[in-house]
Amino acid sequence: ASAASRAAKRHEARLRHLRHSINGWVSSVCPAFDGMYACPAAAYLPVLLPALLQALEDRDQDLSRSARACAELSANTPMLPREILTQVLASAVAVARSKSWHVRAAVLPVLQVLVFRHQFVVSDDDMHTVRELTVELLTDAQLEVREMASAAVAVLVRLSGEDFALSLRHKFDAWARTPIAAR
């Protein structure tokens, strides 16, 4: 094997070890703040959450499952300060642009939980960004992503109220009028 191939394999192995370490750390810290009012890992979530979500692409199924569970634990953090919440939401939205449909689908439940849990402190701009992303993912090429987006939109309609529901109605009406190309 070439030197580049060996270097790539070493890099992949190192990345896998780092992902296992992150998963272990998050899974040991997150359950500890169940009854707390503040998350001891809050300052690290904007960096940790994308790493956890990107670990879903790993071929190691145990690592992928563990990363999904850790991302869900991270999303369930209590009372994030608004500045950190904005950073966490921005990093999740950035990860939602991934080429991997597994990652795009996994971001949606995380966003749902984050927005629901912090519905009284999330800024209007952040809520707008999450709504736009979720509606955009309704048109994703991958069925599983569209299904997750439809569940997320349902939660957002409940949280956002009638104005958002009416804006969706107009958008959905326009989509319904768009002819589908023959295959």
Side-chain angles (χ1 to χ4, degrees), residues 21-31 33 41 45 48 52 69-71 73-74:
S21 297
I22 290 171
N23 288 352
W25 184 77
V26 169
S27 63
S28 66
V29 170
C30 286
F33 59 73
L45 288 179
L48 286 174
L52 291 169
C70 287
L73 282 172
S74 298

Side-chain angles (χ1 to χ4, degrees), residues 106-150:
V107 167
L108 290 161
V110 169
L111 285 172
Q112 273 180 262
V113 172
L114 276 168
V115 169
F116 179 78
R117 229 179 133 110
H118 297 89
Q119 61 187 300
F120 300 111
V121 294
V122 67
S123 72
D124 291 340
D125 289 342
D126 288 339
M127 185 63 103
H128 177 75
T129 301
V130 170
R131 285 192 301 247
E132 291 297 313
L133 171 69
T134 307
V135 171
E136 177 186 323
L137 289 176
L138 285 172
T139 62
D140 195 272
Q142 190 69 35
L143 174 64
E144 291 84 350
V145 176
R146 293 193 307 265
E147 288 174 346
M148 295 302 287
S150 66

Side-chain angles (χ1 to χ4, degrees), residues 41-93:
Y44 306 106
L45 288 179
V47 176
L48 286 174
L49 190 60
L52 291 169
L53 291 169
Q54 289 167 346
L56 296 172
E57 294 178 295
D58 202 290
R59 287 175 287 178
D60 181 343
Q61 292 300 311
D62 290 336
L63 177 62
S64 183
R65 262 190 302 279
S66 174
R68 181 181 303 277
C70 287
E72 291 169 5
L73 282 172
S74 298
N76 215 3
T77 57
M79 305 322 279
L80 287 172
R82 183 176 278 192
E83 312 81 54
I84 292 176
L85 178 61
T86 296
Q87 293 172 7
V88 170
L89 290 172
S91 64
V93 167

